[in-house]
Amino acid sequence: MASKDDSSLRTTIHLLDYISRDYTAAVQNGEIIDEGEFAEMQEFSDKVYLLIEESDLPQDNKLLILSQLKELGKQIENKSPHKSIYTLAQQVRRDIIKTTNLKTAPLVWPNLENAKNLYVQHCTPCHGVNGAGDGKLAAGLKPAPTNFLNANLMQQISPFQAYNTIKMGVEGTAMQSFATLSDKEIWDLAFYVKSLRFKTQPDQNSNLQQKFDQANNTVNLEEVATLSDVELVKRLSNNDSADPELLLAALRTQSPEDNTQKYSLDKARNYLKSALQNYTSGSYSSAREDALAAYLEGIEPSEARLKANAPAFTASLEQQMFKIREVIESKGDKAQVEKEIDNGLAMLGQAEEMMQDKKLNYWMSFALSASIMLREGLEAFLILALILALIRSSGLKKAIPWVHGGWITAILLGVAGWFFTDWVIGISGKNREIMEGMISLVAVIVLAFVGFWLHDHSHAKNWRKFIEEKIGKQLKKDKMFGIAFFSFMVVFREAFESILFLQAISLETQPAHQSSIGLGVLAAFALIALIAVLFVRYSKRIPVRQLFRYSAWAITLLALILIGKGVHSIQEAGWLSVTGFPVSVSVDWLGIYPTIETISAQVALLLLMLLLYFWSNYKTKIRSTKLN
C-alpha cells in the first residue's frame, strides 16, 4: 500500500499484538481481573476497527477484515478465553500483512554491535545495562519498564513486535516512540533486545556461529524476524542434528559471519524487490534509495570477486543497476521499471552462479594427492634405506632404533601439523579468500624452487655422497642422537612439504570429495610399501630416476593449478587488480580464469619450470661428460 498508510497499518498490527499478549492481564476464566486492563482491551479493539475502516485497503479485503474485527470486539466483550482472542487477533494480523505487503522483516541481517551502542544511548536509563528493567529512571514508573531477561514474557514476542513497539512507543506508558531512528537502527535494536536473555545463560556450545549457520539453513531472515521464540523452536525441531533451543540461542545472538560478501547479493536482491514495491505504491523517493542501496550495499562489496570471475559480465551488471536507477529517477512507466528490475534480478542469479567456487573433482584431487605423497614419501624412504644400509655395513646395530625413532617422531608431528593447519583454516572464515590465495602461492614457491631445485640437487650421487659424509661422521663419533636427529629432519622436511601441498589441494577440493585426498595418500603409502619390498630384493632394477621424473611433471601441473587459483583468490579479495583476457576462457579445476593476471602468472611459472628442468638436464650431461 502507499507509504502514507504505513504508519496506521503498523499501529493496527501493534495493537493486535498487544491484545494477543496482554488479554490475560484483563480476563481469566471468564472473569474480569483488572477493570483498567479490560477497558484498554475494548479501547484498542475499537481503535483497530476504526483504523481499518479509514484505511485504503481494497474493498473486499477491508470488509472481510472488518467482520473479523467486529467478531474480536464481541469476544472481548463476552470475556472469551485467551486462546480464542489470540487466534482471532493473529488471524486478522496475518490477513492485513498479506493484503498490504507490509514489511515485517529487515532487508539485511541486523548489526548487533551497532545495536549495543544504540541500546546504551537510548534504552539503558529505563531498562538497565543488562535489560532487567532496573535502570536509573525505572523506579516509580507504572507500568514498570519491560524486563528483557524475563523468559516467560520474551519467548512470546517476535523481533517484529519489538520493532513496532520501538518505532511507535506504547501509549499511556513511559515507552516513547523512537521514530527518529532509521529503519535499520530500529531493527538492530529489536534484534538486540531479543538477544539479551540468551547472553545471561552459560554458553552451552562455544561454536554458536556454526550452530547459527546450521539454523540459518532451516529458517530465513523473515521467519527469524516475525516468529516468536516458541514458534521458532517448533520450526527448528525439524532439524534432527541439534538441540532446537541451542539453535534458537544461536539465531538470537549471532549473525552471518561475513555479511559483506557472502550475503551481499542477497542484499541487492532484497533492495531491488523493495524498490519495485515502493515504486508501485508511489513512494518514488524510497524506491530511489533502495535502488542505490542495491548497488552500494549489494553489488559493490562483491565487485572484486565478481570481476575476478567475469570482468565483462561485471561491467554489464553495473550498467544494469544504473539503468534501474535512471528509469526510477525519470519516473518511467511501472511496466518499464518492473522490466529493468527483473533483468537486474536475473543478472544477480547469474552472478551468484559465477561466485560459487568451482573445486577440483574427485579423481584430480586423488591423483594429485597420490603424486605428491609418492614423491615425498619415496624420497624419504630412499634416504632412510641408504642410512640403514650404512649402519648395517658399519656393524653398529644399536643405531638402528635411533633411526626408526627419528622418522616415527617426524611422522607423528606431521600428522599433528595437518590437524593444526586444518584448525587455523577453520577459524579464518572472514579472510578465507586471502588465506587460500596465500597458501596456494606459498605452495607454488616451494614446488617451483625448494621442491624442484633442492630435490634435483639431492638425487643420485650428490645426495648419496652427502648422506655418507653426514652419517659416517656420526657413526665414527658414536653419536646416536645426531643420527636420530638426521633421520627426523629427513622425514620431517618431506612431511612439512606434504602437509603444505595437501592443504593447498584440500582448499581447492569440494567438501564432499575431501576423502579423495586421504585415499590418494593411502594409495601412495601402499605403493611406497610395495616399492620398499621390491627395493630390498631388486634394488638395482627399479627405475627410481624415472619415478621421480614422472612425479616432477605431476608437481608441475599442481603448481600451475595452484598459482592460477592463488592469484584468482587474491583478486577476489580485492588485493590485486583485474584485467579481462581478450578470450573468455575459464576452466576452474585447472586454475584457468579469464584475466590477464592469472594466465600471465601460469605462463611465467611454466616457462620458469621448463627452464629449470632443461638447466638440470644440461648440468647432468656436463657431469656425465666429465666423469667419462
Side-chain angles (χ1 to χ4, degrees):
M1 301 305 298
S3 58
K4 64 184 178 62
D5 206 32
D6 184 81
S7 178
S8 296
L9 292 172
R10 288 196 180 279
T11 300
T12 302
I13 298 298
H14 185 42
L15 291 174
L16 286 170
D17 282 330
Y18 191 87
I19 292 169
S20 300
R21 186 176 68 248
D22 281 23
Y23 180 75
T24 53
V27 176
Q28 287 184 14
N29 301 319
E31 298 291 334
I32 299 173
I33 61 172
D34 189 314
E35 289 288 350
E37 288 287 343
F38 184 70
E40 195 173 63
M41 292 295 110
Q42 292 175 308
E43 178 192 351
F44 287 167
S45 172
D46 292 340
K47 188 169 184 177
V48 167
Y49 188 93
L50 184 62
L51 286 170
I52 292 299
E53 192 174 41
E54 294 175 349
S55 72
D56 295 331
L57 290 176
Q59 192 63 24
D60 290 344
N61 300 95
K62 181 188 285 189
L63 290 175
L64 173 62
I65 292 170
L66 286 174
S67 67
Q68 292 172 321
L69 288 174
K70 187 176 288 187
E71 177 62 25
L72 177 64
K74 283 183 181 178
Q75 291 205 19
I76 291 173
E77 191 68 34
N78 294 332
K79 300 177 280 296
S80 297
H82 175 248
K83 185 177 180 181
S84 298
I85 300 297
Y86 179 88
T87 301
L88 186 53
Q90 288 299 304
Q91 180 60 53
V92 177
R93 176 183 181 275
R94 284 192 294 270
D95 288 345
I96 293 172
I97 291 172
K98 184 178 179 181
T99 301
T100 60
N101 290 318
L102 189 70
K103 290 181 184 177
T104 59
L107 292 169
V108 296
W109 274 94
N111 185 327
L112 295 180
E113 284 301 315
N114 180 54
K116 185 176 181 180
N117 296 328
L118 290 169
Y119 180 86
V120 170
Q121 182 181 352
H122 298 289
C123 311
T124 302
C126 293
H127 294 280
V129 175
N130 298 316
D134 56 355
K136 293 179 180 179
L137 303 181
L141 291 180
K142 291 185 179 181
T146 300
N147 178 2
F148 298 130
L149 307 184
N150 183 336
N152 290 330
L153 169 66
M154 295 304 293
Q155 68 180 354
Q156 302 293 339
I157 298 172
S158 70
F160 176 55
Q161 289 172 268
Y163 169 92
N164 282 329
T165 300
I166 296 167
K167 190 176 183 71
M168 292 177 288
V170 179
E171 192 176 338
T173 73
M175 179 60 198
Q176 63 179 354
S177 166
F178 286 91
T180 53
L181 295 177
S182 70
D183 203 55
K184 184 180 183 303
E185 288 174 326
I186 295 175
W187 274 118
D188 288 350
L189 269 175
F191 270 63
Y192 183 76
V193 298
K194 284 291 297 174
S195 74
L196 288 172
R197 77 180 182 93
F198 296 97
K199 292 182 178 180
T200 63
Q201 299 174 2
D203 190 3
Q204 303 173 49
N205 188 317
S206 59
N207 198 358
L208 278 176
Q209 185 63 49
Q210 183 180 353
K211 296 300 178 186
F212 171 86
D213 293 335
Q214 186 179 343
N216 200 24
N217 290 328
T218 303
V219 295
N220 56 39
L221 176 56
E222 185 174 1
E223 290 172 305
V224 176
T226 56
L227 297 179
S228 67
D229 294 348
V230 174
E231 293 166 324
L232 258 184
V233 166
K234 289 180 182 178
R235 286 279 287 109
L236 295 168
S237 296
N238 298 327
N239 193 322
D240 299 327
S241 58
D243 176 6
E245 292 287 348
L246 187 57
L247 294 178
L248 171 67
L251 283 173
R252 292 304 188 207
T253 60
Q254 308 297 308
S255 57
E257 193 173 23
D258 188 1
N259 260 345
T260 57
Q261 266 197 25
K262 188 176 179 183
Y263 293 91
S264 72
L265 294 186
D266 282 341
K267 289 184 183 181
R269 184 180 291 106
N270 290 335
Y271 275 124
L272 286 183
K273 289 179 179 177
S274 178
L276 179 58
Q277 183 179 329
N278 281 323
Y279 195 87
T280 302
S281 65
S283 182
Y284 302 119
S285 176
S286 296
R288 282 196 300 272
E289 290 175 9
D290 286 341
L292 182 59
Y295 175 73
L296 294 177
E297 296 185 36
I299 304 298
E300 204 168 56
S302 293
E303 186 176 17
R305 189 172 180 187
L306 273 172
K307 207 170 182 181
N309 286 276
F313 173 83
T314 306
S316 298
L317 178 59
E318 290 174 355
Q319 187 61 32
Q320 182 59 36
M321 300 302 290
F322 176 77
K323 280 184 184 178
I324 292 171
R325 297 197 300 276
E326 190 177 38
V327 73
I328 289 175
E329 288 280 353
S330 63
K331 296 185 179 179
D333 183 70
K334 289 180 182 178
Q336 185 184 4
V337 173
E338 186 173 3
K339 177 185 174 183
E340 295 299 342
I341 288 179
D342 284 344
N343 290 340
L345 291 172
M347 292 185 78
L348 287 175
Q350 295 176 47
E352 279 184 328
E353 178 66 25
M354 290 174 181
M355 285 176 65
Q356 290 178 0
D357 289 332
K358 304 297 193 302
K359 302 292 188 179
L360 297 173
N361 62 40
Y362 192 95
W363 292 111
M364 176 61 76
S365 297
F366 173 86
L368 291 174
S369 302
S371 299
I372 287 294
M373 207 67 235
L374 180 62
R375 181 183 179 91
E376 304 299 334
L378 190 58
E379 181 165 344
F381 161 73
L382 290 174
I383 295 174
L384 289 174
L386 180 58
I387 293 172
L388 291 170
L390 289 171
I391 290 172
R392 289 193 180 95
S393 66
S394 68
L396 199 62
K397 291 185 178 180
K398 67 177 183 178
I400 293 177
W402 289 86
V403 174
H404 291 314
W407 70 260
I408 289 173
T409 303
I411 287 179
L412 292 176
L413 284 177
V415 172
W418 168 267
F419 287 106
F420 175 76
T421 53
D422 206 38
W423 171 73
V424 170
I425 287 171
I427 64 172
S428 303
K430 289 188 177 180
N431 297 310
R432 190 171 181 83
E433 293 299 334
I434 296 170
M435 179 193 63
E436 287 185 13
M438 291 304 182
I439 287 180
S440 295
L441 293 182
V442 170
V444 167
I445 292 170
V446 175
L447 284 168
F449 293 97
V450 181
F452 195 100
W453 188 260
L454 291 183
H455 284 309
D456 178 63
H457 281 70
S458 62
H459 292 330
K461 294 181 180 179
N462 285 346
W463 59 258
R464 187 184 186 93
K465 181 180 178 182
F466 173 75
I467 292 168
E468 286 176 347
E469 287 178 358
K470 288 288 183 183
I471 296 299
K473 289 179 181 178
Q474 303 294 332
L475 289 172
K476 286 177 183 177
K477 295 178 181 179
D478 201 23
K479 291 186 176 179
M480 299 299 104
F481 183 78
I483 292 171
F485 182 73
F486 188 83
S487 168
F488 169 84
M489 288 306 299
V490 164
V491 175
F492 187 72
R493 191 194 78 170
E494 310 298 341
F496 177 79
E497 290 180 17
S498 298
I499 290 168
L500 179 63
F501 303 148
L502 292 175
Q503 280 290 5
I505 295 171
S506 176
L507 286 171
E508 301 301 343
T509 300
Q510 298 175 29
H513 294 168
Q514 290 291 322
S515 62
S516 63
I517 299 172
L519 290 176
V521 171
L522 291 175
F525 278 146
L527 190 53
I528 291 169
L530 177 62
I531 292 172
V533 173
L534 296 174
F535 186 84
V536 173
R537 294 187 180 183
Y538 315 104
S539 58
K540 292 183 180 180
R541 300 182 187 178
I542 296 177
V544 175
R545 190 171 179 80
Q546 293 296 324
L547 286 173
F548 279 115
R549 182 174 296 171
Y550 295 144
S551 63
W553 286 112
I555 284 176
T556 300
L557 174 62
L558 176 59
L560 291 172
I561 293 172
L562 291 182
I563 197 169
K565 285 185 170 288
V567 172
H568 178 66
S569 292
I570 293 174
Q571 285 179 316
E572 286 189 323
W575 280 25
L576 189 64
S577 62
V578 177
T579 309
F581 197 69
V583 180
S584 183
V585 55
S586 181
V587 186
D588 299 272
W589 61 275
L590 282 177
I592 299 173
Y593 299 94
T595 71
I596 288 177
E597 288 81 2
T598 53
I599 292 175
S600 297
Q602 288 177 313
V603 170
L605 179 64
L606 179 60
L607 292 174
L608 176 62
M609 296 192 80
L610 287 174
L611 181 63
L612 289 173
Y613 178 79
F614 286 117
W615 175 250
S616 172
N617 282 351
Y618 173 74
K619 289 203 303 177
T620 302
K621 288 179 183 179
I622 294 294
R623 286 196 297 265
S624 299
T625 303
K626 287 181 179 180
L627 289 172
N628 293 333

